[in-house]
Amino acid sequence: MLSAVGTLLLLLPMASTVPLAWHEALFTATSAVTVTGLVVVDTSQLTLFGQLVVLGLIQLGGLGFMTFAALTLVLLGMRLPLQQQRLIRESFNQTSFSTLAHLVRLVIGFALIAETLGTLLLVMTWIPRFGLWEGLWVSVFHAISAFNNAGFSTWPDSLTDEVANPLVNGVVSALFVIGGLGFVVIAELVQLPRQRSLSLNSRIVLHATLWLMLVAMGSLLLLEWNNPATLGGLDSIGTRLQAAWFQAVTPRTAGFNTLDTSELTTPTALLTMLWMFIGAGSSSTASGIKVTTFVVLLLVARAFVAGRPQPAIFWRAIPETTAFKAVAVALAGMLLIFLCLFVMTINEPEKPFLALAFEAVSAFGTVGLSRGVTSELSVPSQLAVIVTMLLGRAGPITLGFFITTRQRRGLKYAEENVQIG
């Protein structure tokens, strides 16, 4: 519904400087509400009204429908059936509806504070360069887009002109990393002085996030250091390190880029696709299969190799239902990417396969990075990407709820072995 409303608003004459086709408006609205950042029309071609529409869709899609549903219930004092209350509780990993109300207020407040602080820091660079009102607007737009991991920029080349600007690189990357941790993790970190402990979920997210960022940055430095079109073309070592950091963390569904993504070497592009597929934390502004899902899959494999009956980490065992859910979410993601890529290869036979595969993974992970083929896709391919963005954002959540709330079986079948591998 949000995509449809956004499409109608973007089709209004006052929304853009050039007339938009229906599929271009639909693609832009869907990309915004799924906080993806893939564009077939440059955001710079939208008027202030059009950019406000995009920004509103980003904020609604980034914080999540469950957040605003729960906030509405809290503000209006409404009651939901127990089944629907349970779904909202589980999306925030809460055990009671009363603690959920406190968490929702914390989520909204933290998001507004983070976006405000990001804006105040960015204006220090952009108001002196663009003037008061334009500098303020681009600062607000990029702060909200960064915190919500949307990747939308008011400039056609994203943040490539800011590759050597430490303030912009630091603020934007900090916003999308924090937004990608997940609101449950953020809430636990805020309450850590009182609770003095973190849940297993938060510890996994924090450790996995740190290691993924370090591995991604090290790999990018190794593979792109001598590439004259990316890191090799930058003047100083400091700028190269800064660009490597930004380009290493942005695939976790942020979508901004300070290097030309189309010029990345093939090994780097493949690793970037892996980071996009994994994504960031659950209940966050980011998508992908989520880092917790990826870690659980690794733990299941480790437990099998070690001959253990149950996967475990940090002296805690992972429930069997969680392992099944991780397998289902990862498999659903791979099938969705395959179907999207299959449709695109039929309709875009002249396009490089790597560029199309990169596009499909970026759409599923709602990342927004592209190797320059988005605007050149045919209408059927654009529709495939639109469906992939929608399912990539809402699909894993829906699948997770479906698995969590499934009916209890009345029968137990006899077991029989099946060969694997």
Side-chain angles (χ1 to χ4, degrees):
M1 290 297 294
L2 282 174
S3 295
V5 171
T7 300
L8 294 176
L9 291 175
L10 291 175
L11 285 173
L12 296 175
M14 62 179 177
S16 61
T17 57
V18 293
L20 297 182
W22 67 269
H23 57 87
E24 293 174 332
L26 176 61
F27 192 102
T28 303
T30 305
S31 183
V33 80
T34 58
V35 292
T36 302
L38 290 173
V39 292
V40 292
V41 176
D42 287 336
T43 312
S44 59
Q45 294 181 328
L46 300 179
T47 62
L48 177 60
F49 173 78
Q51 292 181 3
L52 280 170
V53 170
V54 168
L55 205 60
L57 293 173
I58 288 172
Q59 189 74 84
L60 288 170
L63 293 184
F65 310 119
M66 289 296 186
T67 304
F68 285 99
L71 178 63
T72 302
L73 296 176
V74 170
L75 293 178
L76 300 181
M78 298 171 61
R79 292 184 177 274
L80 279 179
L82 292 178
Q83 177 72 0
Q84 296 183 30
Q85 288 189 28
R86 186 160 72 108
L87 291 181
I88 296 180
R89 287 201 316 269
E90 288 172 353
S91 71
F92 288 98
N93 196 31
Q94 298 298 297
T95 56
S96 68
F97 206 68
S98 59
T99 58
L100 173 64
H102 172 72
L103 176 61
V104 169
R105 294 191 186 97
L106 181 63
V107 166
I108 300 296
F110 184 86
L112 294 176
I113 291 173
E115 292 167 353
T116 301
L117 289 177
T119 300
L120 293 177
L121 291 171
L122 291 175
V123 296
M124 297 170 62
T125 290
W126 287 334
I127 283 184
R129 188 187 307 175
F130 301 111
L132 176 60
W133 296 115
E134 183 180 355
L136 179 60
W137 171 243
V138 296
S139 299
V140 169
F141 190 97
H142 285 86
I144 295 177
S145 181
F147 180 79
N148 290 285
N149 278 245
F152 274 88
S153 175
T154 55
W155 301 308
D157 297 326
S158 191
L159 298 177
T160 52
D161 291 338
E162 307 293 337
V163 64
N165 189 322
L167 179 63
V168 172
N169 279 259
V171 171
V172 172
S173 63
L175 284 173
F176 62 64
V177 168
I178 292 172
L181 288 177
F183 299 125
V184 174
V185 177
I186 291 172
E188 289 191 18
L189 290 174
V190 171
Q191 299 168 356
L192 185 59
R194 287 181 297 173
Q195 295 181 347
R196 298 184 180 180
S197 64
L198 293 173
S199 66
L200 178 62
N201 177 78
S202 295
R203 283 184 286 172
I204 290 176
V205 170
L206 293 173
H207 281 81
T209 297
L210 175 62
W211 282 107
L212 284 173
M213 290 191 299
L214 292 178
V215 171
M217 183 177 178
S219 302
L220 198 137
L221 285 171
L222 181 64
L223 296 171
E224 298 292 326
W225 188 263
N226 294 318
N227 183 355
T230 56
L231 294 183
L234 301 178
D235 297 332
S236 65
I237 293 178
T239 303
R240 290 189 185 188
L241 293 174
Q242 180 176 278
W245 159 259
F246 194 95
Q247 202 65 34
V249 296
T250 193
R252 300 182 62 252
T253 85
F256 291 102
N257 61 287
T258 56
L259 298 175
D260 188 348
T261 309
S262 63
E263 297 294 340
L264 295 175
T265 61
T266 300
T268 306
L270 290 174
L271 282 177
T272 302
M273 291 166 64
L274 175 61
W275 312 138
M276 293 192 296
F277 181 73
I278 294 173
S282 300
S283 301
S284 72
T285 60
S287 297
I289 64 170
K290 304 299 190 299
V291 293
T292 45
T293 304
F294 178 68
V295 171
V296 169
L297 292 174
L298 293 180
L299 294 176
V300 169
R302 187 182 69 174
F304 174 77
V305 172
R308 298 173 182 170
Q310 196 173 15
I313 187 173
F314 297 131
W315 302 281
R316 292 291 187 273
I318 305 296
E320 183 182 74
T321 53
T322 301
F324 284 155
K325 187 189 297 185
V327 173
V329 168
L331 181 59
M334 289 188 287
L335 289 175
L336 180 59
I337 291 170
F338 173 81
L339 291 174
C340 178
L341 181 57
F342 184 73
V343 172
M344 287 197 293
T345 52
I346 292 175
N347 293 281
E348 317 293 334
E350 75 286 355
K351 296 288 191 303
F353 180 80
L354 178 61
L356 295 178
F358 197 94
E359 199 82 6
V361 178
S362 181
F364 166 76
T366 68
V367 180
L369 294 177
S370 174
R371 290 179 70 84
V373 300
T374 310
S375 60
E376 301 172 2
L377 296 176
S378 62
V379 175
S381 294
Q382 288 185 23
L383 292 177
V385 172
I386 288 172
V387 172
T388 305
M389 289 189 294
L390 283 171
L391 294 180
R393 179 62 176 161
I397 301 174
T398 306
L399 179 61
F401 286 148
F402 173 76
I403 296 171
T404 302
T405 58
R406 66 189 186 278
Q407 297 293 326
R408 182 174 297 178
R409 293 182 303 175
L411 296 174
K412 183 176 182 180
Y413 299 106
E415 294 181 354
E416 186 170 347
N417 190 40
V418 176
Q419 290 185 344
I420 300 296

